Amino acid sequence: ETGCWLFFTAQHVNARAPFFHYSSPRILREGREDIESIINQFSRIFTKLLAARRHDAQEMHVKLVEAQTKEAQTQRQLEEAV
């Protein structure tokens, strides 16, 4: 036991579980309200980051499908021209 003030949080970008956090006993004793506020802020941050990541992935998927469709059309046109 170090008696330090320690707070740690992490979220894996592909996780389906809530983020992980740890607060040392001392920081909970001496700063519970602030730590609870920080945990809530991290929750909002991670939620927004994950939502943005999903949105970006969906946009990339749409662009990929469009590109594949165009490629297939071009390939058919080339085959018909030959």
Side-chain angles (χ1 to χ4, degrees):
E1 206 176 304
T2 64
C4 71
W5 296 298
L6 177 67
F7 175 76
F8 175 83
T9 185
Q11 173 73 54
H12 190 279
V13 296
N14 295 323
R16 295 184 185 262
F19 70 98
F20 169 81
H21 63 90
Y22 171 79
S23 304
S24 68
R26 183 171 183 182
I27 202 165
L28 286 174
R29 265 192 325 271
E30 297 178 15
R32 179 170 294 279
E33 287 181 21
D34 291 328
I35 287 299
E36 288 175 357
S37 174
I38 291 169
I39 290 169
N40 290 332
Q41 289 174 6
F42 269 106
S43 178
R44 286 189 296 275
I45 290 167
F46 288 138
T47 298
K48 289 177 182 179
L49 288 171
L50 291 171
R53 181 177 172 83
R54 282 191 298 275
H55 181 265
D56 290 348
Q58 288 172 340
E59 281 185 352
M60 287 176 59
H61 178 72
V62 167
K63 289 178 182 178
L64 174 63
V65 170
E66 289 173 354
Q68 289 172 333
T69 302
K70 286 180 183 179
E71 178 187 20
Q73 289 172 346
T74 302
Q75 187 65 33
R76 278 194 301 277
Q77 290 172 349
L78 286 172
E79 290 171 359
E80 291 172 359
V82 174

